[in-house]
Each structure stands twice: as structure tokens, then as C-alpha cells.
Amino acid sequence: MGLRLLLFLFFFFLGFCSSAVAQQRLRLSIVVRDGITRKPISGASLFIAETKLGGRADSAGVISITHPPGVLTAYVSAVGYFRGRETVVLDFNKRVEYYLQPRSTDLDEVDVRAIRKDKNIKDVQMGQIQLSMPELKRMPVVLGEPDILKALSLQAGVTTAGEGAGGFNVRGGRADQNLVLVDGAPLFNTSHLLGFYTNINPDMVQDVSLSKGAFSAQYGGRVSSLLLMSTRNGNKDGWRVSGGVSPVSVRAVVDGPITKKLTLLAGGRIAFPNYLLQLFPTTSVKNSRAFFYDGNLKLTYTPDERNTISLSAYRSQDNFRFPGDTLYGWQSNVLTGRWSYLIRPNMQLNLAALYSGYYLNVDGVTPNLGFRFTSHIEQREGKADVFYTIAKKHKVQVGVNGILYGIQTGAIQPAGNLSSINPKQVNPERGRELGAYVNTEWELMPAVTLMAGLRYSAFAMLGPQTVYGYAENVPVSPETVTDSVLYRSGQVAQAYGGFEPRLALRVQLAKHTAIKASAGRTRQYLNLISNTTAITPLDFWKLSDRYQRPQIADQVSLGIFQNFLDNGLELSVEGYYKRLQNQIEYRYGADLILNPKLETALVQAAGKAYGVELGLSKTSGRLTGQLNYTYARSLIAVQTAFDALRINGGAYYPAYIDRPHTVNVQARWSMSHNWSFSSNFVYYTGVPATYPDGQYTYNGEPVQDYSRRNADRIPDYHRLDVAFSKDTRFNKAQKRYGIWTLGIYNLYAHKNPYSIYFTRFNQRTESYRLSVFGTMIPSIAYNFFF
């Protein structure tokens, strides 16, 4: 029934769209170039005076629109350039080259962002964050390495588990509930060096966009947020080299034309942090050893104006050794192939084949106890999308996708003939997910824009798989197994599915004032199994099955947006409420690693998250920056018929990621002689913790008693970072230049606790605070371009 409904919607929209084109429209393509260097200008804007139509240039400097025939007055502009005016007689499909002359007075105002000044007012979607890559490289960060996730964590509604922690959390969602896509392919691990760095080289990235609310129906599979990162295409006009050097890594990127129609972008990064780890005051960090690298490759082939074919690849490798005899290694591999075909001026077809794999190995090297533990997840996906512009005020997207999952949750093998470790392996998991969607954005009137979408997803757990049955009216446990069923290869062991509606509305009250609202449902069939607050190398992925139902999130949000001073000052207030079903929680004393009956260690929980986000940004002038304040709660409850499984009596309690108050302040001051000063101040409420509240005697020995989970909190966190940057350019046309950045992380050397431990010593309980960065950390970095 669901498939027939989707097919009906698909053909209904196509039929409606085809009949809606009431007038002939021609294609106008304008290539915008620098008047001195002749290089394309990414992010340039086009405005047609007669019809108010417009567009924005892609990475090749091309702006393409469809427009009725006539004599047009076209205005072309870009940040850092004088605006240009061109009269175009559009009597057939036309391609025009236009050259903008650069301003040479203030280099720091040149910020290549494909973001319009009033985007926060005009766009229908709310809860969106877009990063400026040039500004990212001037921010003060730990050890001087530009970092995408660290920059996102300074935004309202985005947090991390703490310093040196992998992953990020959005509006009360866990780290595994974020869909992170690089050129359309998912990343299952987003961090190097156990969370110190994002595992994507920022020099390779063109755009970064994070959606915190109800995102387009084009995307599914996660219940918290959508993070899109796209790598840039190779330069068509000539070869260029860029990169950077920091205290822990070296980066280099080369790109240029192989032929007139084929471009290459290749880059890599390698790290050498061992000597710096020895400078940290924390013993566990000081005596650790680490290494990582990552690399990207992208080929873009444009045989004509209607076809674009691209192939992008990514690989990363991490090795980490804690003090002791255990080595950790993890690897990510991503491959994406895309074909974009312009069927006609207002219709485009996109086909993509995607692969992503994440592999973990843990090696024990203790004599006679040597072992290798491995786990992995692989995803293969094919997708097709059609983008149809009915008119300048109405756009429609339809698409389908199919995913195959392959997961090994854990396997251990002895290392060497003398090892006493016994081999053990949990049966691998296989799954299939199918999806179809339709999405439309429609400007109903100049002040009202509607975005509506509907997605349907269907999931199946596939054999070979052994599913255990348990006795009724008692909690599931290894002791209550009553039978088992073996499903053969390819046989459906469990199936789920459902609709995921999305809705967003923008109402512009005045030129610089808008109210927005959104609502949406998302489903997630993948689960990250972890009993820590941050992502660690021992975490592993698991598919939904008979006992672990898919996660479902319903979120509604409402916001008001106001600009002042000709869009130079932006104010926003957003509120949200989210309900979550089928969240994973863990029983006390849960055994997770190599457990063939993992359902006996897990319990299903309900969650809710709500909050208010206040943002104030200054985007023009010599002093720029932003102030973000967030009040947010993230609560969870295990409500079951069995008293023994209830946590905190079944009442809602703070989740590990609950932080009621967060304040982030960023400022940047453009000084003379191309110097700039930037700073970050961060404050947030300490994360929940479980402290002992008493003790009892068992077999004559005192035992600490922990009665309520997450009833306490570690102390609040606060930190100040500063940095000075020097741009060596004398004018905009200079091709070879560098940017020096001198920074200090944690300027006043505050010992922020990451966690607190309790132990018994001389008949009393003592506590110990662990700080990852308990001191001031200076750094210097150099970014070069030629």
C-alpha cells in the first residue's frame, strides 16, 4: 500500500509540474571571473532587475538560471569586488562571461562565502549553520590545527562530550544520531586522535552546512541532525598548491586541469603529535602515543554543459596507544561516484553510487595474552534524484535510494601460538534499507514560503541470523532463553518501515523580520553501542532487530529572526521540542563486548529534549563576531513493566549529554597591515555524573552504593582562547601568499574536569578529577597558497 501511494505521489508531481510551465523559458549562464587573474569567482551573485530573479555561482564561477526571453538588466556582485552591470538580450540559450574588478583596500573583507546577507530572513529552513572556511583558519584552536567540528561546537545547540572527546551532540541528540555526509557518503567516525581533530582536512572542503531541525525529505537515516560537507572541484584555469603547517601536522593540497574538461583535486594530511603529548600534565595523555593521516582525491569531468561526472575518494587511518599494552587502530574509507545530467533547462537528474566503511582493531601485546579484536561497518548505497524548477517560486525534488549494510560487531583472535586467548566471534549482521521521497519548496506569496516533504523508508534485517526467544513475563536474560530460530542467508528476520513527513514555513513580517516554524519525523535503523559519554575505539554499530526497534524522533521548532544595520547585525531566537522513541540505555553491569545475546544487556527508553537558542551575530565592519546562548534539557526514562530494569524508578532523568546552560562568544578584530585578532570564550554547565551516596558491607568488605543514575554533575566548564593572524598579501591579485596564526588555547590555564573518579583508600572514599587540557597551550600555524 505504501509503495503504491509513493508511486502515485511521484507521477502526480511530475504530471503537475509538466503542465505548470505556461511560458517558454531560456537558459542564461553567466561565468563570473576575476578581472585580474581571470579565475572563476565562487559565490558570486546575479540579480535581474526586471523580474527580481537571481542566482549564485558554483565553484566554477557559473550562474545558471532559466528566464523568459527579453532584454535583461543583470547585476553581478561578489564580496571583495566592485559590482558590475550588464545588459543581456535573451533570445536563445546564452552563455556570457563577465569580469569583476577586485577591491584592493581591505583584504580582510574578502570572505569567499556563498551566503547571501539576508539568508537568515529569506530562507525557509531554520536551525541551519554554515561555516566560512577562510574564517575557520583564523580561529584559535587547540594546537593550531583548523577544525570543523570545533567550530560547529561554538554554535547554539551544538555541544561535545568534552575536550578530547569524539563526535558532537545536537539539540539533545547523541553522537550517533547525526548524519554526517562527505560528498553524499556517510562518515561513521568523525574524529582523529580520540576526538582532538575532525578527520576531514579543511583545505579540501568547499561548503559546510549543519541542519539542526527538520531537514529536507531527501535525507533520512538519523534522528538528530544533518551535516553536509562537500569537497571543492579542481581549478580549471591552472595548477595551484596550498596547505599548512601546525605543531602536530602538515597539510598539502594540489589541484588543476588535467585536460580542458577534466580537473583533479588531491590532498593529504599527516600528524606527528607524540612530542606534544609528552608536554601535557595528565599522566594518561603524557605517556600515550599517536599517529594519524588522511587523504582526499577528486576527479571532475565536464564533457559539455549538460553533463558532469565526478569521482571522489577519502581514506583515513588512526593509531593510538594508551599507557600499557594495548594498541588501537581505526580506519575509514569512502568512495563516491556521481553523474549530473541537465535533462532540460529546468530539470536535472543526479545519479550516485556510494561506499563507506569503518574498521576497528585492538591489539593486546601482553606476553601470553596477545590478541586482536576487530569490528567494522560497511554501507553500499545507490540513489537517484530529480530536481525540477517549475517556476522561480516553485521547486520540486523526487528521489529513491537503496542501502545494504554489513556489520561485524566483534571478533577476537589469539596473537601468536603462545597466547592463551580463545577465539570468539559474534555472528555478523546484514540489513537492507529502501527509501523514496518527494519534496517541494513553494513561495506562495512574496512574504510566505512553504517547504513540504514526505519520505518513506523500509528496513529489513537479513539472514544468516540466529534470533533467540525468551520466556514471557520475565526480563530477557541469558538464563531465560527458550528457543532460537536460524534465518538463512538473505531471508528477512525482521522488518520495519514508516512515513517521515517534513514541513517548514517562513512568514516575512517586514523587510528584515521573519518568523519560521518547522516540524518533522525521522527514523534511524542504526545504533551505536557505547557505555561512555563520548565515542571511543571500542564502540560498535548494530542494526535494529526484533528487540531493538528503530529510533524515532518527532521535533517541532519555532523561531523569530531580525536583522539590523542593513543586515550587518543578525538576531535570532529559536525554540524546539523533541520526543524520541526506542532510545538505547544499558542495564547496570551490562556486558557489551562479544555478547551474542546483546539484547539482554540493553533496555528501551523514551527521551525528550527541549530548549531555547539565542544568537546575535555582527557580520560587517572591522569588529565581527557572535554571541550564542542556549538553554537546553535532554532527559531520558526507562519505563518497563519489570521493576528490576527501571532506572531511577522509571522517572525521567538527565541524559549524559544534558547541559542546561551554554554560552559561546566569538570576536574578530581586523587591524591594520592585514593583522587580525580573534578570541573564543566558552562556558557550559557540567555534564551529569553518578556519585556514590553511601556504602554498605558485603562479605565483610565495604562497598560503595550508587542509587540514582546521573543525579550529580561535574563542575561547570569555562575557557578563553585567543589568536593573532597575519595575511602577507599586498593586494587581492597576489597569487603567492601565506597566513600566520599565533594562538593560545585556554589562556588562563583553567583545569576543567572531564570526569571525576571515586576510590576507597584507608577506609574512606576519595575522589579524583581528570582534566584533559589543564594548562595553557600556545601554538603557531602557517597556511600557504601559491
Side-chain angles (χ1 to χ4, degrees):
M1 185 66 177
L3 180 59
R4 284 181 291 179
L5 176 60
L6 282 176
L7 290 174
F8 170 78
L9 289 172
F10 181 88
F11 288 110
F12 170 80
F13 268 90
L14 285 184
F16 174 75
C17 296
S18 299
S19 62
V21 182
Q23 174 180 11
Q24 180 190 9
R25 302 178 69 87
L26 301 175
R27 173 159 293 276
L28 172 63
S29 297
I30 295 182
V31 183
V32 186
R33 298 184 182 275
D34 187 295
I36 297 177
T37 66
R38 296 301 193 263
K39 291 185 177 181
I41 302 175
S42 172
S45 298
L46 169 68
F47 176 76
I48 305 298
E50 287 77 11
T51 60
K52 314 301 183 185
L53 279 174
R56 190 170 61 227
D58 60 17
S59 58
V62 179
I63 307 173
S64 293
I65 65 170
T66 59
H67 196 284
V71 179
L72 312 179
T73 304
Y75 291 92
V76 183
S77 61
V79 177
Y81 293 84
F82 292 103
R83 188 172 73 157
R85 180 178 179 273
E86 178 81 3
T87 299
V88 179
V89 179
L90 188 62
D91 50 0
F92 54 86
N93 291 340
K94 184 165 293 188
R95 183 181 177 92
V96 179
E97 293 211 0
Y98 199 85
Y99 297 92
L100 292 181
Q101 298 304 314
R103 299 178 185 268
S104 58
T105 56
D106 189 354
L107 291 174
D108 289 319
E109 288 297 317
V110 180
D111 184 4
V112 186
R113 296 185 299 170
I115 304 173
R116 55 190 295 179
K117 285 185 177 182
D118 59 350
K119 177 180 174 63
N120 61 324
I121 302 295
K122 295 297 186 182
D123 277 12
V124 63
Q125 282 192 304
M126 59 187 300
Q128 277 199 321
I129 299 170
Q130 290 185 288
L131 291 184
S132 164
M133 302 312 295
E135 291 302 312
L136 175 67
K137 297 178 181 179
R138 293 181 171 90
M139 290 178 56
V141 291
V142 61
L143 301 179
E145 178 78 17
D147 192 277
I148 294 173
L149 291 189
K150 294 297 187 296
L152 287 174
S153 68
L154 296 174
Q155 307 297 318
V158 184
T159 61
T160 66
E163 290 175 319
F168 61 102
N169 311 110
V170 177
R171 289 186 172 178
R174 297 180 177 178
D176 65 312
Q177 295 173 342
N178 304 309
L179 179 60
V180 181
L181 300 180
V182 177
D183 289 336
L187 274 182
F188 295 105
N189 180 67
T190 57
S191 300
H192 281 308
L193 204 60
L194 297 178
F196 287 128
Y197 300 110
T198 306
N199 60 354
I200 293 294
N201 183 351
D203 294 338
M204 304 292 297
V205 177
Q206 176 72 31
D207 299 305
V208 176
S209 175
L210 175 68
S211 297
K212 300 181 291 183
F215 41 83
S216 168
Q218 181 183 0
Y219 302 99
R222 299 294 189 276
V223 297
S224 184
S225 73
L226 169 67
L227 176 58
L228 298 175
M229 293 184 285
S230 58
T231 57
R232 54 191 177 90
N233 295 328
N235 185 30
K236 291 184 177 182
D237 296 325
W239 289 93
R240 59 188 178 186
V241 178
S242 62
V245 180
S246 75
V248 296
S249 69
V250 174
R251 317 182 312 274
V253 177
V254 58
D255 66 312
I258 298 177
T259 66
K260 291 183 178 180
K261 299 181 179 181
L262 179 65
T263 64
L264 168 71
L265 174 72
R269 175 172 56 169
I270 188 169
F272 38 85
N274 286 337
Y275 79 95
L276 283 174
L277 293 175
Q278 300 177 25
L279 303 178
F280 284 90
T282 307
T283 302
S284 60
V285 177
K286 179 186 298 185
N287 296 328
S288 300
R289 296 294 178 266
F291 167 80
F292 72 79
Y293 74 84
D294 58 54
N296 294 77
L297 175 69
K298 187 173 186 179
L299 294 169
T300 305
Y301 179 58
T302 310
D304 52 49
E305 293 185 356
R306 301 180 66 180
N307 290 274
T308 301
I309 301 171
S310 65
L311 178 68
S312 59
Y314 166 81
R315 180 185 177 94
S316 71
Q317 174 71 47
D318 280 75
N319 295 310
F320 199 95
R321 179 169 182 167
F322 286 110
D325 300 314
T326 305
L327 306 176
Y328 297 89
W330 57 98
Q331 181 184 112
S332 294
N333 296 319
V334 174
L335 184 64
T336 300
R338 284 182 171 277
W339 173 43
S340 295
Y341 174 62
L342 193 64
I343 301 174
R344 57 195 203 188
N346 60 341
M347 180 180 288
Q348 181 171 299
L349 169 68
N350 292 329
L351 301 177
L354 314 167
Y355 169 82
S356 181
Y358 173 67
Y359 307 86
L360 163 74
N361 61 270
V362 181
D363 294 300
V365 295
T366 302
N368 301 323
L369 293 174
F371 69 88
R372 165 160 280 206
F373 173 86
T374 58
S375 69
H376 71 259
I377 178 172
E378 293 182 324
Q379 175 175 324
R380 295 169 173 85
E381 180 178 2
K383 60 188 306 184
D385 303 280
V386 175
F387 297 82
Y388 191 17
T389 302
I390 300 175
K392 67 174 183 178
K393 298 179 180 181
H394 193 184
K395 303 174 184 177
V396 174
Q397 301 169 231
V398 294
V400 296
N401 76 307
I403 301 174
L404 291 177
Y405 297 106
I407 296 178
Q408 173 55 261
T409 60
I412 191 170
Q413 296 291 333
N417 297 328
L418 300 179
S419 176
S420 60
I421 299 295
N422 295 320
K424 185 178 181 180
Q425 176 175 310
V426 179
N427 288 334
E429 296 183 349
R430 299 287 181 268
R432 178 186 67 218
E433 181 180 346
L434 303 176
Y437 78 92
V438 57
N439 197 82
T440 182
E441 183 176 332
W442 199 343
E443 186 179 314
L444 303 177
M445 58 185 69
V448 180
T449 304
L450 173 71
M451 186 183 76
L454 182 64
R455 182 178 184 86
Y456 184 86
S457 61
F459 171 81
M461 179 81 165
L462 305 177
Q465 189 68 228
T466 300
V467 178
Y468 295 95
Y470 296 88
E472 297 181 357
N473 302 320
V474 294
V476 297
S477 68
E479 295 75 27
T480 60
V481 174
T482 58
D483 61 7
S484 63
V485 178
L486 176 62
Y487 292 88
R488 64 183 181 273
S489 180
Q491 186 178 2
V492 176
Q494 186 67 41
Y496 296 101
F499 287 97
E500 303 173 33
R502 317 282 172 83
L503 185 67
L505 179 68
R506 178 192 71 94
V507 178
Q508 189 166 345
L509 304 179
K511 181 179 180 181
H512 299 299
T513 308
I515 292 179
K516 302 180 186 181
S518 67
R521 164 169 284 200
T522 49
R523 297 174 185 268
Q524 180 170 335
Y525 303 103
L526 276 174
N527 308 278
L528 185 67
I529 305 301
S530 171
N531 59 355
T532 61
T533 58
I535 294 178
T536 70
L538 285 178
D539 299 340
F540 58 90
W541 292 85
K542 185 190 183 327
L543 294 172
S544 294
D545 56 22
R546 176 178 297 182
Y547 300 98
Q548 178 56 50
R549 296 184 295 275
Q551 301 180 58
I552 300 175
D554 296 295
Q555 180 179 184
V556 294
S557 54
L558 178 67
I560 183 169
F561 302 82
Q562 175 71 55
N563 288 0
F564 306 91
L565 304 177
D566 192 25
N567 298 309
L569 191 64
E570 301 175 356
L571 174 66
S572 65
V573 181
E574 296 185 45
Y576 66 91
Y577 182 84
K578 183 192 301 184
R579 293 195 65 88
L580 301 107
Q581 305 175 39
N582 307 327
Q583 303 298 284
I584 287 182
E585 270 294 306
Y586 305 93
R587 299 187 187 184
Y588 289 107
D591 182 15
L592 302 177
I593 305 299
L594 295 173
N595 186 348
K597 303 179 182 67
L598 187 61
E599 60 270 11
T600 63
L602 308 177
V603 289
Q604 298 272 277
K608 60 182 179 181
Y610 54 89
V612 177
E613 300 167 356
L614 171 65
L616 181 64
S617 300
K618 188 176 184 298
T619 60
S620 61
R622 289 192 173 274
L623 176 62
T624 57
Q626 59 181 338
L627 165 66
N628 295 311
Y629 167 74
T630 305
Y631 173 78
R633 299 306 308 269
S634 178
L635 307 175
I636 196 167
V638 178
Q639 299 167 336
T640 173
F642 305 110
D643 292 340
L645 298 184
R646 292 178 187 159
I647 298 175
N648 293 0
Y652 277 95
Y653 61 91
Y656 288 112
I657 57 178
D658 180 63
R659 284 182 180 159
H661 302 283
T662 302
V663 178
N664 295 306
V665 182
Q666 302 177 63
R668 182 170 181 267
W669 177 258
S670 298
M671 301 181 291
S672 59
H673 305 293
N674 298 333
W675 279 92
S676 64
F677 170 78
S678 58
S679 65
N680 304 326
F681 175 76
V682 180
Y683 166 85
Y684 54 76
T685 307
V687 296
T690 305
Y691 294 166
D693 57 3
Q695 67 178 32
Y696 59 90
T697 302
Y698 181 77
N699 289 336
E701 294 293 332
V703 179
Q704 296 174 359
D705 179 55
Y706 299 82
S707 62
R708 298 186 64 81
R709 184 177 294 187
N710 291 353
D712 304 284
R713 290 184 183 273
I714 67 172
D716 294 353
Y717 180 101
H718 54 89
R719 187 191 78 241
L720 175 65
D721 313 324
V722 297
F724 288 90
S725 294
K726 168 65 175 177
D727 190 324
T728 63
R729 282 179 289 183
F730 293 102
N731 56 69
K732 177 65 177 63
Q734 185 173 329
K735 296 182 179 180
R736 298 185 179 185
Y737 64 97
I739 299 176
W740 290 91
T741 302
L742 175 64
I744 301 178
Y745 182 89
N746 195 11
L747 180 64
Y748 50 84
H750 183 59
K751 296 183 182 298
N752 288 296
Y754 178 80
S755 58
I756 296 180
Y757 298 94
F758 296 87
T759 186
R760 295 285 299 176
F761 181 75
N762 290 338
Q763 303 301 314
R764 66 178 185 271
T765 301
E766 293 189 349
S767 62
Y768 297 88
R769 294 168 45 146
L770 170 64
S771 296
V772 178
F773 299 129
T775 186
M776 178 179 65
I777 304 174
S779 64
I780 186 171
Y782 176 66
N783 294 295
F784 56 86
F785 307 86
F786 60 90

